[in-house]
Every structure is written in C-alpha cells, then in structure tokens.
Amino acid sequence: MITIISSIIIFLLVILIHEFGHFIVAKMNGVNVLEFSIGMGPKLFQKESNGTLYSLRLLPVGGYCQLEGEDEENDSPNSLNNQSPFVRLKVILAGAIMNFILAFLLLILLMSVSRVSTVVSGVMKDSPAYSSGIQAGDNIVSINGEKLNDGEQLLKSIKQSQGDLNIELIRDNKPKNIKVNPKLENNVRKIGVNFEEEYNIKNFNIIKGFKKGISTFLNLTGMLYKFLGMLITGQLGLGGVSGPVGVVKEIGNAAKTGVANLLFLLAYININLGVFNLLPIPALDGGRAIFILIEMIFGKKISQEKEGYIHMVGLILLLGLITVVTIKDVVKLF
C-alpha cells in the first residue's frame, strides 16, 4: 500500500509541476490557457476563472495544461500559435525548467539537514578497503588515533594522511583495528568506501545546503547526460533503462527507508523528466523547441500540420519504446 500511495503522490507532483511551468509562463505572456487539470479521466470538480477551466479529475495520475493554438491553427491573437517564436519557446521550455527548479530546491533542503556519517554503506571491489577487510555496516571511530565526529572529518583525514592508515572501527558492537594503504586517484588519497547519509534538522545549515545542493544537482544531471550518451553510442543497452514499473518499484523501496530518501528520489525523477523532455525528439518539448529554433534561424515557420505529423510519428516511437521497457521491467519482477 505504501508503494502505491507514494507512487501516486510522486507522479502527481512531478507531472503537475511540469504542467504548472507551461501554465504560469503562458499566463504571464498573455497566452490563453483553456484548461488546467489535476488528475486524468472523468471530472469531479470544475471552475472557470479568467477564461481558464480548472478541473479536478478522478484518476490521480498527473494532469495537463491545455493551451489554445498548441496543436492547431487558431485565429485568436492570444493563442500560442500566434505568439512570437521567443514567447512560444519560453512556454515550451518552462515545463522542464520547473522540474529542474523543484529538484534543485529539494536538494538544497536535503543537503541543509544532511550529515555524512562514519558508517560504511558500501565498499568498492578491489579497493584498499576491500583488500583490508572493511565491510558495509562498519562504524569507523578513529584514524591514526584521531577520534572522528562525522564522515566529512573522516574523508578529510584520509585525504591529508601520509602512509598507511590505522583504522579503528566497530563491527557487531566489538572494536576492531585494521591497517589500510590508500591509493592515489587524481591526486586524492582514497580507500574505496561510501558512507551513509544522515538527515536531521539539528544539522541545518543553509549555506552548506546551497553549496552541496548545487554540486549534487550538477552531478546528477551530468550522470544522466553521460548515461544517455552511452545509450546513444551503444555502450549500454536497454537493460539499464527503467519504465513506469521500474520507477514504481524504486519509489516503494525509497518510501520504506524514510521521507528523506523519498524526497531525494523525487528530486532525481524531476531531473530525469527535465533532461528527457528536452531531448530533441519529436513529441517531446525538446523536439518542439527545435522547430521553433529553426523558425528563428531561417525566419520561416513550418506549417502546424506538417509539424503535427512529425510529432505523431515521434509519439508512436516513444510509446513503442515505453512498451518494450515496461515489458522488460515486468519480466524482472518474476
């Protein structure tokens, strides 16, 4: 049940914040918004205000923002198709940008209350720590006789150390001493371990949160683009791609481990949606943006009918890809 509820909330937030981006930028630029809907399916409630129908629908699986002149020619001066290319570009890109903004704010919040603990969460194979016998779950309490308060002090001690490290740790409530010889990677001494992240309001530090939020946001975004590059070049197959079923499974796992991990996953999914939506593929916002950029460069607009056909082909191909990935995820469950 927790997986279902968490998944509904996550998908609802991710899609609504995306559609709200289109909505608010359209409104700010005088574009007619015909409907802004929370949920899909039959209407439960609706109210019209300033020419926009606001509706609540039965199925809580997202929502949509319907703009006048978005997919068809329209004579109204306030329809999207009659706006300047720059205004149309802003409206189209606003959804993905809003996903990035939400992800960034969530990461700042999380990093503001985060603290790297001294408990080992993972050990890299064939690393100095692995060879020395350090295991996940070990709590490192001192290095070369220096008592440790947190994981950041621990990492700093490793980087600044000289020669072998005499590590004292607690395993199964018993003290244990291990000698480790760090290796040099990019001029930084490392032993090959990851540490658990703890989240507590007592750790609140907005400056630290802002700095770590930026670096985490950039690292996650960079990893996604690197992943896409490996997919395009054939270095990775579809086995590394997850569809809706795989995402639901990950949401369920995160929900069981705490609110902080669920919020981190929400940020990561928002970055995913933002990056994916900006790909120059027909039917996606990135594909629509390409048509607008071509118009801005050559000064001639491609007919909406021709563009619509191209987006239709792109949508069919995307739905086919999603179907293949979903089948793969379902097979993994058994």
Side-chain angles (χ1 to χ4, degrees):
M1 183 59 73
I2 190 173
T3 297
I4 296 172
I5 294 173
S6 300
S7 298
I8 288 173
I9 293 172
I10 293 289
F11 282 122
L12 192 64
L13 285 173
V14 169
I15 296 172
L16 279 182
I17 198 69
H18 180 91
E19 296 302 325
F20 180 74
H22 294 310
F23 168 84
I24 195 65
V25 175
K27 283 286 189 181
M28 289 169 63
N29 288 274
V31 177
N32 284 341
V33 180
L34 300 179
E35 183 177 358
F36 185 82
S37 172
I38 298 176
M40 307 291 281
K43 291 178 186 176
L44 298 176
F45 170 81
Q46 66 179 41
K47 181 179 180 180
E48 188 171 345
S49 177
N50 296 323
T52 300
L53 181 68
Y54 298 90
S55 62
L56 178 66
R57 295 176 179 263
L58 180 63
L59 304 175
V61 286
Y64 62 87
C65 173
Q66 184 182 359
L67 305 176
E68 186 177 40
E70 183 177 7
D71 294 310
E72 76 286 333
E73 296 290 344
N74 193 293
D75 294 332
S76 170
N78 294 324
S79 66
L80 184 64
N81 64 297
N82 288 324
Q83 304 304 308
S84 69
F86 183 61
V87 169
R88 282 184 279 128
L89 187 63
K90 286 193 294 183
V91 173
I92 290 298
L93 297 180
I97 291 172
M98 193 60 76
N99 286 122
F100 287 138
I101 291 173
L102 177 59
F104 183 53
L105 293 176
L106 285 170
L107 290 173
I108 289 176
L109 172 65
L110 287 170
M111 296 304 114
S112 294
V113 297
S114 72
R115 172 180 172 271
V116 181
S117 77
T118 56
V119 178
V120 177
S121 62
V123 182
M124 299 174 194
K125 194 173 182 181
D126 299 326
S127 66
Y130 182 86
S131 303
S132 300
I134 293 178
Q135 302 174 7
D138 287 347
N139 183 11
I140 299 177
V141 294
S142 75
I143 291 181
N144 293 338
E146 179 188 359
K147 296 294 180 182
L148 303 169
N149 296 315
D150 56 44
E152 291 180 2
Q153 182 189 358
L154 191 160
L155 292 171
K156 186 178 179 181
S157 296
I158 295 172
K159 289 177 183 177
Q160 295 178 345
S161 65
Q162 300 290 329
D164 291 346
L165 301 177
N166 293 308
I167 294 178
E168 182 186 350
L169 54 85
I170 304 296
R171 180 185 297 166
D172 299 327
N173 296 319
K174 296 177 182 178
K176 188 177 181 67
N177 291 294
I178 291 179
K179 183 174 285 189
V180 181
N181 183 16
K183 66 178 179 180
L184 206 61
E185 287 186 16
N186 299 321
N187 293 321
V188 178
R189 286 167 64 83
K190 297 181 179 180
I191 63 173
V193 294
N194 295 316
F195 297 97
E196 292 181 1
E197 197 89 21
E198 296 176 346
Y199 301 95
N200 193 309
I201 193 64
K202 294 178 181 178
N203 303 324
F204 186 78
N205 184 324
I206 190 63
I207 297 175
K208 180 194 75 172
F210 192 78
K211 290 179 179 178
K212 288 187 69 176
I214 290 175
S215 63
T216 305
F217 179 85
L218 293 175
N219 286 337
L220 291 175
T221 305
M223 284 169 52
L224 280 172
Y225 277 112
K226 183 178 179 181
F227 176 76
L228 285 171
M230 294 174 74
L231 276 177
I232 293 169
T233 56
Q235 297 177 56
L236 278 178
L238 287 179
V241 180
S242 290
V245 174
V247 174
V248 167
K249 182 181 177 184
E250 290 304 316
I251 290 173
N253 292 337
K256 292 169 186 174
T257 57
V259 175
N261 288 328
L262 192 59
L263 289 175
F264 187 88
L265 184 59
L266 174 58
Y268 184 62
I269 292 174
N270 270 281
I271 296 173
N272 265 271
L273 182 61
V275 168
F276 180 73
N277 231 276
L278 291 181
L279 293 176
I281 298 173
L284 297 178
D285 290 341
R288 294 177 185 274
I290 290 295
F291 281 97
I292 297 173
L293 289 172
I294 291 172
E295 178 187 347
M296 293 172 76
I297 293 170
F298 296 101
K300 186 177 180 181
K301 186 177 181 180
I302 298 172
S303 77
Q304 211 147 357
E305 185 179 4
K306 290 180 182 177
E307 184 180 337
Y309 285 135
I310 295 172
H311 289 315
M312 176 89 58
V313 172
L315 180 61
I316 292 170
L317 292 174
L318 282 173
L319 289 174
L321 176 62
I322 291 171
T323 301
V324 171
V325 173
T326 301
I327 292 171
K328 172 190 68 68
D329 286 343
V330 170
V331 169
K332 277 185 178 179
L333 296 177
F334 300 99

